[in-house]
Each structure stands twice: as C-alpha cells, then as structure tokens.
Amino acid sequence: MEKFGSIRTAAFRSRLFSKEQEKSAHVQAKVYRLSMAHPGDLTALATLLATGEIEAQEIVAVIGKTEGNGGVNDFTRGFFTDRLMTLLSNYLDDSPEKIARTVPCILSGGTEGVLSPHYAVLCRSKVGGEKRENESALAIGATCSEDMPFEFVGTVEHARIVAETVKAAMADAGITDPADLHFVQVKAPCLTSDRIAELREAGKPVPAPTASASMARARAAGALGVALATGEIDEASLCDEAFLKDFNLFSTCASISSGVEVLCNEVVVLGMSSSWGGPLRIAHRAMEDALDVTAVRDVFSDLGFTNGIQISEADRERLKAIFVKCEPDQSGFIHGARHTMLNDTDIDPQRHIRGAVGGLVAGVSGDTRIFVSGGAEHQGPFGGGLIAVIAEAPAVEQTEGQEA
C-alpha cells in the first residue's frame, strides 16, 4: 500500500503503464449499475465476479443508494459496506477491513418516491490496442485519508484534509486540470452523542453540539474542501464562520455525504482525461433550484441525448449512472411560492427534497436508478445542487472513432 502523506490508495491503482505498455494498451473505465432487492443484496455483483465479467482488482469504488432513512442511525449503509467488503475479500488477497481502506464504498440512504435502490460499481481496466488519438474519456480516481480526529469534524482542518485527498484522487485518475472534473463524491465522518461526550471528557473542542448538526458541518467542510482543491475558492475564504452561513462559497462539482460508518474521508473523483480511452463520457451541470429542469435537460444534451419530453427507451441503454445533489431552499420559497419542507416534523426535509428532485430527474431520464442525495450545503448554488451523468458516447461518435 502506498501513502500520500495522510492519504491511502491501493498500489495497483496508482501504478502507471510503462512506455512500452502504453504502446499496446490503455486504461479504460467501466461502470456497472446494479439493482438490489434489499440493503444487503449483492447478488448481481457476485454473479459478475463469478463469471469474470468484473475483476475484483479492477474495482476502484462503489457508489450507491439504499432504502435507509439517510440519517445518523441509517445502518443500511454499514450493512451493505460490510457485505461488499466480505465479498471482495474472497477475490482479493486482503481482509475486509483492509479492503475498506482502499476501495471507497459511498452510500446514501433514502429512496423516496420513485427512486430505486441500486449501486454503481466503478472499474478501471487495461485494454489492448492503441487508444484513439486526442480522445478523452471517463476517468476515475479514488483515495481515502487517514482516520481523522473527531475534534476536526466540520472544521477548517477537515476541509484542508479533504482538499489534499481530492488532489490525491485526481492524481490517481490522471486528471491534472480541475476543469476536467465533473463529479467529486466525498463520504466524511460525523460525530455521535458518544463521540461528543468523549471529546468533552477529554477537554477537546466539540465542533458541533449534536450528531445532526455534525453531519451538516461535515458536509460543509467536505464541499469547501473540494472547492479549495479545484480553485473555486481560495485559502483566504476558508474559515469556520463561513460554514453553513456564506453560501456564496460553493463547489459546482462536489457531492458530500456524512455518516457514522466511516472514520476517514473517502473521495471518488470522476472526470474526463485524454489518458483514458473507451466509450464512456461524463458531464455535469449546476442546478439553480429544485425545479431546474433546464439544467437536467442540458446535461443530457451535453452527452448527445436528443431533446424530448423524456429520453427514449432505446437511448436509455446508453445511461450508466446519474448522480444528483439537492437541498430544500432555506428561504422557504421556490419560484416565489412557499414550501413547507423545513417545518414538517413528520418527514425530514431531506426526505422531502430527495423525493421531489428524484421525480423531476426520473421524469426526464425515464430511469429511476438515480443517486439523489440531500444535504447540498455549499454544493452548487444556494437552494439548488448539481447533476452529473455518465453515459456511453453516441453511436455516431463511436463509429467515427473506429473509422479514424
């Protein structure tokens, strides 16, 4: 295992091809979007591993949606992760605990409305044959920071650690220009009542008074850490007072989740790179609000999908993954009309917004296997969020590449 300061990454993922190998092979991303019947269902992946369709050594990360509540006590995330690492340990020469430190499994709970439980397996493989000249394709990188002290959760120091981890993940993906990034998924640790009590007993700073407040601050730190790494904000703008207050500071490509099941910061970056080949492409757009169907349509248009009321069934076969971040507008209004998400004591606001935005995106895509995560503090414009889509290039583009 190699270390990048406070960063961990699997050695087999960090090695680059030799000059001789580059002449006869190139790296290519593969994405498998798999459904699950329950939070511990890994039948689809187990089948693909058993048949050799997926090589365990090629799995870089897993990002998925479970039918849990998405809160502090959402144990579906840890359950799925445990099952995944146990499965991978049957194929990799390592324990489940060690694999969990190098293969991020980032899960978001909550499949409200029409959303469907699923997970995307992100792979990197060597492919024979020369890569098409001047081609850029989907690039994937992933790293994990060292376990972070609980007194850092949701602080400036947390943001700086995320920024360094993002840079390491970019290097892992071979992405040098932040402009080529389209989606940065971070899973950050959060505090629990027990962890808060431990900090107080030790006389250490307590960054947040409750577990829920800690999750929000951790998401803010993660988002501003991404923005720092990409140059969307500068070091001088980074201060604890800005967290959850100055929403002029944000990243247009960050997607942050927080949970009790991780002790480190897990980072997965998705972008475009000329060092990669293959048919997969990625695009993203910032969403101005929960009704921004224009941004949703535009991101599909960027990937060559024809404009229409809904993507056709035939065209949907090109879709490999859809990622969305969203947030209930804290002003209490959307397009001038009052919403009640923030004041509903029966249903958490994040569950409201996941169902609403999930329905919007599903209506355009015609697909319900969408990663929709709430809690978009500093992730996209205030009251909005972002959407990123991975899809195969249109047949015309692929044909032109073959002819070339």
Side-chain angles (χ1 to χ4, degrees), residues 11 15 34 45 59-60 95 167 169 187 200 205 222 273 275 287 293 311 336-337 374 385 392 394:
R15 287 195 293 263
L34 307 174
L45 177 58
I59 297 176
V60 179
S95 66
K167 291 176 182 177
K187 189 60 177 277
R200 286 176 175 157
S273 172
S275 299
M287 295 182 67
V293 70
I311 293 174
E392 289 184 350

Side-chain angles (χ1 to χ4, degrees), residues 148-397:
M148 192 172 67
F150 292 134
E151 61 266 31
F152 286 177
V153 172
T155 67
V156 166
E157 188 58 36
H158 188 172
R160 291 193 180 106
I161 291 172
V162 169
E164 290 305 309
T165 312
V166 170
K167 291 176 182 177
M170 289 175 62
D172 185 49
I175 296 174
T176 57
D177 188 348
D180 292 326
L181 285 177
H182 288 277
F183 190 72
V184 180
Q185 179 64 56
V186 178
K187 189 60 177 277
C190 70
L191 300 178
T192 62
S193 56
D194 289 343
R195 292 169 182 175
I196 291 172
E198 289 174 6
L199 289 174
R200 286 176 175 157
E201 289 175 7
K204 295 180 179 180
V206 180
T210 66
S212 294
S214 168
M215 290 184 80
R217 286 196 64 86
R219 291 193 297 265
L224 294 178
V226 174
L228 183 62
T230 59
E232 293 171 285
I233 67 170
D234 55 33
E235 181 74 30
S237 302
L238 193 63
C239 61
D240 288 330
E241 292 72 23
F243 290 14
L244 306 177
K245 292 179 181 178
D246 187 356
F247 290 104
N248 290 317
L249 303 176
F250 62 85
S251 170
T252 59
C253 63
S255 172
I256 317 297
S257 294
S258 179
V260 300
E261 70 273 23
V262 294
L263 299 175
C264 63
N265 296 279
E266 300 180 340
V267 175
V268 180
V269 301
L270 303 174
M272 296 289 288
S273 172
S274 59
S275 299
W276 292 60
L280 297 185
R281 308 288 184 265
I282 185 170
H284 81 286
R285 292 276 182 153
M287 295 182 67
E288 295 296 330
D289 54 49
L291 301 178
D292 193 358
V293 70
T294 299
V296 176
R297 289 186 179 280
D298 285 347
V299 77
F300 285 111
S301 179
D302 292 342
L303 292 167
F305 290 92
T306 56
N307 289 324
I309 296 175
Q310 187 177 94
I311 293 174
S312 68
E313 183 176 357
D315 225 9
R316 285 201 296 273
E317 293 182 1
R318 291 174 46 213
L319 287 174
K320 294 301 179 182
I322 304 173
F323 305 105
V324 180
K325 283 297 291 190
C326 53
E327 176 76 9
D329 196 313
Q330 299 299 303
S331 71
F333 289 84
I334 298 177
H335 287 200
R338 185 172 69 94
H339 71 76
T340 62
M341 289 185 279
L342 301 176
N343 300 317
D344 190 339
T345 56
D346 295 315
I347 303 175
D348 187 272
Q350 302 302 335
R351 307 203 77 166
H352 271 292
I353 198 67
R354 287 194 296 260
V357 177
L360 177 77
V361 177
V364 175
S365 66
D367 194 310
T368 62
R369 290 183 297 174
I370 306 168
F371 179 94
V372 181
S373 176
E377 304 93 343
H378 304 285
Q379 302 153 66
F382 180 75
L386 66 100
I387 176 171
V389 177
I390 298 174
E392 289 184 350
V396 172
E397 180 183 333

